[in-house]
Amino acid sequence: MKFTNEQMERYSRNIILNEVGVKGQIKLLESKVLIVGTGGLGAPAALYLAAAGVGTIGLVDADAVDLSNLQRQIIHSTTKVGKPKVASGREAINDLNPDVNVVTYQEWVSSANITDIIKDEDYDFIIDGTDNFPAKFLINDACVLLHKPFSHAGIIKFFGQTMTYVPGQGPCYRCVFLNPPPPNTVPTCKEAGVLGVMGGIIGTVQATEAVKYLLGIGELLTGRLLVFDALEMEFRTVTLASRKNCVVCGENPTLKDLIDYEQRACEL
Amino acid sequence: MSKRDGFIDITDVICPITFVKAKIAMEELTSGEILEVRMNDGEPIQNVPRSFKDEGHKVIDVIKNEDGTFTVFIEKDGL
Ligand SMILES: [Zn+2]
């Protein structure tokens, strides 16, 4: 492909990096990333991936923009309240970078649709920007079964965590967390609150992982969980091991069909 | 005049697009081929040849033109 003068200028700070260069920028423009949830995590991740020139971005969210989202979901804005989040997200992305082809899925992910959504554009990388355990386990299991890399993240109050799964290169989310906690034993972000910047910090780490994976550069958070405490202002990484008997990625996997755990609705 | 395999004029752009434009032209060549770059005096001539060296290319000739611009010949992966 040939760069237009506008693209040359838009992506100049990427292209000038030796680790990116012309080839890397073309790779990004030809890449496809699926972002599940356009909330606190998905909003900044989508914006940075769009800015970087990731050519196709899929957005999955059934929700409409609510005023209470705007404290952290910076892809949306006051004039978009009431609009479907995926439509609002698409407009913001195309305002930022018209090079990006935005594919929207106005639905919640479930065992019934997630495989089709991931296969729809044969996405290269998936970002879990959801806020509930059923969705997190579903995304993990679907990605493991489809051999797709993904970034997991969670934020609550002043805490955040993120890890990256790449097939064959370390543990999956289920290796580490086994099963969702029983419903009603953990607060959702709606009940517990979350500092707005948490999504910015952790969602931006997720976008960084996606870009690195797509370019094939650096060390990913595979086999490592990055934990961030905003009050102490401390980042730590915890080393994680694969579980041989993991039901989805282990030596004798028994989980072949996706599971819909009991869902607690919560705004992202 | 040295032989050349590619030519790019970067006198119409400013930093950092100067190097980006030249770098894109260099990508189209193969190792050992020579890119001719026409650039302005000042920032471009001070930085673009150095940036090419940093990326492993060899500056083989620099010619000052009558109009004040420079013509630089760079061998791909020559270092
Ligand atoms: Zn596993």
Side-chain angles (χ1 to χ4, degrees):
Chain A
M1 73 166 277
K2 283 264 180 211
F3 285 105
T4 62
N5 284 345
E6 201 182 294
Q7 285 177 317
M8 213 156 65
E9 190 167 351
R10 176 185 291 275
Y11 304 120
S12 59
R13 301 303 194 281
N14 276 357
I15 294 170
I16 229 159
L17 293 168
N18 251 334
E19 292 79 357
V20 183
V22 177
K23 290 193 182 93
Q25 189 60 51
I26 291 171
K27 223 184 260 178
L28 291 179
L29 286 163
E30 289 172 348
S31 294
K32 300 167 182 178
V33 176
L34 180 70
I35 301 173
V36 186
T38 55
L41 294 162
L47 289 175
Y48 272 110
L49 292 175
V54 169
T56 300
I57 295 179
L59 300 176
V60 193
D61 207 310
D63 229 346
V65 180
D66 185 88
L67 193 56
S68 68
N69 299 150
L70 301 182
Q71 163 258 15
R72 64 199 178 285
Q73 301 179 13
I74 56 165
I75 200 169
H76 310 299
S77 49
T78 309
T79 55
K80 305 286 175 65
V81 170
K83 236 185 174 171
K85 283 188 177 177
V86 290
S88 162
R90 179 187 6 228
E91 286 167 22
I93 287 172
N94 282 335
D95 269 355
L96 175 60
N97 187 352
D99 282 351
V100 181
N101 166 38
V102 184
V103 184
T104 60
Y105 308 88
Q106 197 184 339
E107 49 199 319
W108 298 121
V109 285
S110 71
S111 66
N113 64 8
I114 190 164
T115 303
D116 289 341
I117 291 173
I118 294 171
K119 283 184 175 172
D120 181 40
E121 291 280 341
D122 191 22
Y123 289 100
D124 301 303
F125 193 91
I126 290 98
I127 288 186
D128 172 9
T130 67
D131 71 330
N132 64 84
F133 290 103
K136 293 189 180 305
F137 279 88
L138 180 74
I139 291 167
N140 178 74
D141 297 346
C143 287
V144 173
L145 293 174
L146 293 170
H147 310 288
K148 292 288 183 185
F150 79 98
S151 166
H152 150 83
I155 49 171
I156 198 161
K157 296 182 184 177
F158 300 90
F159 304 100
Q161 66 177 37
T162 178
M163 63 174 268
T164 303
Y165 167 78
V166 177
Q169 292 181 30
C172 77
Y173 177 67
R174 198 180 272 281
C175 286
V176 183
F177 297 100
L178 293 176
N179 284 298
N184 304 315
T185 57
V186 284
T188 62
C189 70
K190 200 175 185 177
E191 294 152 2
V194 61
L195 195 69
V197 298
M198 298 308 297
I201 292 168
I202 301 297
T204 304
V205 171
Q206 291 186 283
T208 312
E209 290 285 279
V211 168
K212 282 162 55 195
Y213 173 81
L214 296 170
L215 294 173
I217 60 170
E219 297 299 321
L220 296 169
L221 284 171
T222 46
R224 290 187 295 154
L225 182 71
L226 177 71
V227 184
F228 173 57
D229 178 334
L231 289 179
E232 299 296 326
M233 198 46 86
E234 240 176 27
F235 286 92
R236 289 184 303 126
T237 52
V238 184
T239 306
L240 308 170
S242 297
R243 220 177 251 275
K244 277 184 188 159
N245 59 352
C246 174
V247 295
V248 64
C249 81
E251 287 171 356
N252 297 297
T254 51
L255 193 154
K256 311 274 190 200
D257 297 309
L258 297 171
I259 306 165
D260 290 307
Y261 291 102
E262 191 183 328
Q263 180 102 21
R264 297 197 63 206
C266 168
E267 317 254 323
L268 292 169
Chain B
M1 198 61 135
S2 312
K3 79 160 189 105
R4 68 173 204 199
D5 301 289
F7 170 75
I8 189 80
D9 186 341
I10 59 168
T11 59
D12 59 340
V13 286
I14 55 162
C15 173
I17 315 299
T18 40
F19 182 56
V20 172
K21 195 173 175 186
K23 187 170 161 155
I24 289 172
M26 183 62 95
E27 292 268 334
E28 290 175 8
L29 303 188
T30 54
S31 287
E33 287 192 319
I34 290 159
L35 180 69
E36 176 184 344
V37 189
R38 180 169 175 262
M39 64 187 75
N40 285 321
D41 197 0
E43 180 275 323
I45 191 65
Q46 284 161 25
N47 295 304
V48 172
R50 196 192 56 212
S51 298
F52 271 120
K53 280 184 212 164
D54 290 347
E55 298 202 350
H57 310 298
K58 187 180 182 183
V59 177
I60 50 176
D61 207 357
V62 179
I63 296 161
K64 192 168 178 19
N65 301 314
E66 307 246 309
D67 63 0
T69 65
F70 287 84
T71 297
V72 182
F73 291 88
I74 303 142
E75 182 187 336
K76 182 157 180 169
D77 302 324
L79 287 183

